[in-house]
Amino acid sequence: MNSTCPAPTESPRNDAPVTAQADVDSAAALSFAQLPLAPATLTNLEQLGYRQMTPIQAASLPLALAGHDLIAQAKTGSGKTAAFALSLLTRLNPRNFAVQALVLCPTRELADQVTQEIRRLARGENNIKVLTLCGGSPMRPQSSSLEHGAHVVVGTPGRIMDHLQRHSLDLAQLNTLVLDEADRMLDMGFFDDIAFVAKACPGERQTLLFSATYPESIAGLSRQFLRQPQRITLAEQHEAGKIRQRFYEVENEEKFAVVGQLLNHYRPVSTLAFCNTREQCRALLQVLRDEGFVALALHGELEQRERDQVLVQFANRSCSVLVATDVAARGLDIAQLEAVINVDITPDPEVHIHRIGRTGRVDQAGWAFSLVSGNQMGRVTEIEKAQGVEFEWHPLNELKPSHSEAEKPLLPPMVTLLILGGRKEKIRPGDVLGALTGEAGFSKEQIGKINVTESTTYVAVARDIAREALRKLSAGSLKGKRAKVHLLQDTAP
Ligand code: ADP
Ligand code: MG
């Protein structure tokens, strides 16, 4: 399915799944070198540590580079960004300062991630300008950035539509349109905005649609806006042994207490707990906090800034448990996740596989615990059928009681400090690290992730130095100014 692709205009209508497994077995088939990419791009990929294509890249890049429209479906964290980014970058003319590629993403956070990945992948080429256009930031500076010219625009549908209506964005020279996380954009009600944007693009273009799932609404979207798309589906297959699944039969009323017991028993550093409803998220959060856990919730009602803060604290290991619904957690890519808990088992086998696939990434093992009440047994049977395995059931009494005296409460290893000031104040991660390891005298190992956003900086520090770090940072200066620092802790145990 690589070199023998027919030219896009001649290809038969084909949206039946293409199975790409056969191609991806040998190492040679996974080499980026077999793709028609510039030597500088190949060198850059090597420098980025991208030694081999991921399966979705191996399945989609040959088709995308040959000019086909695509519907590509693969789970979060499978490398979808590079799959479309390498394709759109290949088609750019750097000397033409017109928008030649547009990527639509559901949220600002994802648009930022995609922008960063495209920039990294574009380093082999000189001066490719990538611009992010999302809501929540003023229009005017975005418009003036557009006037200076950009090759690639990444943004959310609503804001892109605003710019089109004000004529600050011109798509006449666009050749690639990407719909990233299309399922989530549709969940968020963006269909009409996407349609508006797609109609503003030239008819002669390539459209690449990426999605973690393939609901009927995606088929509808693609029928309208894609031309003879090739469909690629990578069945989710978790490596045996990497994700250890355990099932517990519990009464509905005892579910929340069992979550606490699981945490105390297995003591995972980071856990993602899935609930089926927002109300249940809220209730579980309260119970966990009452028991002394450092827990946060992710749900649709959060403002972008609040959502950022939650994600930063979870990713930098200063929050033990993140409670979320499927919709809220969609697209979330967290490198280290020791456990997933299905507080309510989902009725959809595909969603179950997607949930547990968040743990056991790369070279680590992960736990996936599912709590099942009597009337939910049918769901488990469905999932077993879909996965072709029989699950391991464990008795509740193997878990230590949740308030055992000997057990210290589970606490995250880090604490987040919030510094007022960010990119606008020209603060860089190195400045913060310098302030903490220099005069303040902490070691590098005591400092965790540093996230600099537009006007705020977050730094994770080891729990046992948190107060001292706060005091020393507040007393010192950053970029010549007195630093204003807070401890970010919603639940001080
Ligand atoms: P998705 O969009 O499918 O959720 P991403 O594109 O965000 O996945 O990629 C997940 C992570 O994998 C990113 O950190 C990315 O830099 C990394 N990655 C992507 N492709 C490769 C590759 N071929 N080799 C190594 N790492 C890769
Ligand atoms: Mg993605």
Side-chain angles (χ1 to χ4, degrees):
M1 64 175 290
N2 21 29
S3 56
T4 53
C5 295
T9 44
E10 298 157 19
S11 69
R13 176 160 195 97
N14 179 7
D15 53 8
V18 175
T19 336
Q21 295 301 343
D23 288 313
V24 301
D25 284 344
S26 72
L30 291 176
S31 163
F32 281 105
Q34 59 159 328
L35 298 174
L37 294 173
T41 305
L42 291 173
T43 312
N44 183 40
L45 284 167
E46 222 162 274
Q47 282 166 357
L48 290 174
Y50 287 21
R51 299 211 162 72
Q52 290 195 321
M53 291 190 265
T54 64
I56 186 68
Q57 290 163 1
S60 60
L61 273 166
L63 291 167
L65 290 167
H68 288 280
D69 278 9
L70 288 188
I71 303 170
Q73 184 192 348
K75 67 169 185 162
T76 302
S78 55
K80 294 192 284 295
T81 318
F84 62 74
L86 287 171
S87 177
L88 69 86
L89 287 169
T90 308
R91 205 148 304 157
L92 289 187
N93 173 4
R95 286 181 301 279
N96 178 10
F97 273 83
V99 177
Q100 297 162 61
L102 171 65
V103 183
L104 293 182
C105 300
T107 64
R108 181 169 63 90
E109 193 180 285
L110 289 164
D112 282 336
Q113 281 175 21
V114 166
T115 301
Q116 281 168 22
E117 178 82 349
I118 297 180
R119 288 199 180 123
R120 277 161 17 107
L121 292 168
R123 281 199 310 222
E125 282 275 352
N126 289 328
N127 297 321
I128 299 291
K129 214 171 145 206
V130 188
L131 192 63
T132 322
L133 300 179
C134 297
S137 308
M139 292 284 289
R140 182 91 54 103
Q142 294 183 345
S143 303
S144 64
S145 299
L146 278 167
E147 273 167 31
H148 286 99
H151 300 101
V152 182
V153 166
V154 182
T156 45
R159 180 53 63 101
I160 298 292
M161 189 171 79
D162 285 350
H163 279 289
L164 287 169
Q165 281 168 333
R166 295 184 192 198
H167 304 288
S168 43
L169 173 63
D170 176 9
L171 298 178
Q173 300 192 51
L174 176 132
N175 52 38
T176 314
L177 171 66
V178 179
L179 308 177
D180 191 20
E181 306 251 4
D183 49 354
R184 180 144 181 235
M185 290 201 283
L186 294 181
D187 280 350
M188 292 170 76
F190 281 141
F191 187 95
D192 292 345
D193 296 7
I194 296 172
F196 185 96
V197 175
K199 284 177 192 146
C201 295
E204 260 319 296
R205 63 159 195 270
Q206 182 182 33
T207 309
L208 304 173
L209 183 154
F210 285 78
S211 186
T213 58
Y214 190 77
E216 175 50 34
S217 52
I218 296 282
L221 186 72
S222 70
R223 268 194 296 276
Q224 252 183 290
F225 300 109
L226 274 68
R227 294 209 306 193
Q228 298 169 345
Q230 301 276 317
R231 199 178 139 201
I232 298 163
T233 307
L234 285 193
E236 259 192 59
Q237 290 169 328
H238 302 310
E239 262 176 68
K242 262 173 115 184
I243 302 176
R244 288 168 291 186
Q245 286 207 70
R246 293 196 165 175
F247 284 72
Y248 297 87
E249 186 175 355
V250 301
E251 299 296 330
N252 260 324
E253 313 76 67
E254 56 179 357
K255 275 192 173 170
F256 292 174
V258 174
V259 173
Q261 287 178 26
L262 284 167
L263 294 171
N264 279 327
H265 186 86
Y266 290 97
R267 307 186 78 74
V269 178
S270 300
T271 300
L272 187 53
F274 283 104
C275 295
N276 289 350
T277 66
R278 216 181 275 172
E279 292 66 44
Q280 203 190 18
C281 280
R282 214 170 290 146
L284 175 60
L285 181 71
Q286 199 51 54
V287 170
L288 291 174
R289 288 182 170 183
D290 290 347
E291 288 185 26
F293 293 106
V294 180
L296 293 167
L298 201 58
H299 52 76
E301 283 166 11
L302 296 181
E303 281 173 30
Q304 187 67 43
R305 199 181 49 87
E306 296 170 312
R307 191 176 153 92
D308 285 348
Q309 284 199 356
V310 167
L311 291 178
V312 161
Q313 291 179 85
F314 189 57
N316 73 17
R317 321 216 104 197
S318 43
C319 160
S320 300
V321 194
L322 183 64
V323 181
T325 56
D326 294 296
V327 172
R330 193 85 63 76
L332 199 110
D333 185 23
I334 294 204
Q336 276 180 298
L337 191 59
E338 282 74 13
V340 166
I341 302 180
N342 294 308
V343 181
D344 252 343
I345 191 119
T346 150
D348 182 341
E350 208 182 320
V351 172
H352 178 82
I353 295 170
H354 199 59
R355 282 179 173 185
I356 68 170
R358 304 311 185 83
T359 184
R361 287 277 172 85
V362 206
D363 48 3
Q364 327 155 47
W367 290 109
F369 305 113
S370 299
L371 309 185
V372 188
S373 56
N375 61 355
Q376 298 174 329
M377 285 300 165
R379 298 181 180 179
V380 178
T381 319
E382 286 300 308
I383 299 170
E384 282 183 321
K385 257 196 262 159
Q387 282 198 269
V389 288
E390 239 181 81
F391 292 136
E392 243 181 82
W393 288 87
H394 284 250
L396 278 180
N397 62 16
E398 77 176 17
L399 304 175
K400 289 182 205 118
S402 101
H403 298 290
S404 91
E405 297 277 311
E407 209 62 71
K408 282 205 213 107
L410 175 72
L411 286 176
M414 312 300 277
V415 169
T416 303
L417 302 181
L418 180 158
I419 305 170
L420 296 182
R423 274 196 295 271
K424 262 199 285 188
E425 284 72 25
K426 307 235 179 312
I427 294 179
R428 285 166 313 172
D431 302 324
V432 181
L433 187 65
L436 285 163
T437 54
E439 232 174 284
F442 297 113
S443 73
K444 264 204 188 118
E445 290 67 40
Q446 291 172 305
I447 316 300
K449 275 202 183 131
I450 301 174
N451 297 81
V452 183
T453 71
E454 206 48 31
S455 54
T456 319
T457 299
Y458 304 94
V459 51
V461 300
R463 180 160 290 270
D464 54 342
I465 64 158
R467 303 234 160 243
E468 204 188 338
L470 172 70
R471 196 168 46 72
K472 288 186 171 164
L473 265 185
S474 309
S477 68
L478 261 180
K479 290 277 159 192
K481 285 214 197 91
R482 189 67 177 261
K484 287 208 186 70
V485 192
H486 301 289
L487 208 58
L488 243 193
Q489 214 168 42
D490 302 291
T491 48

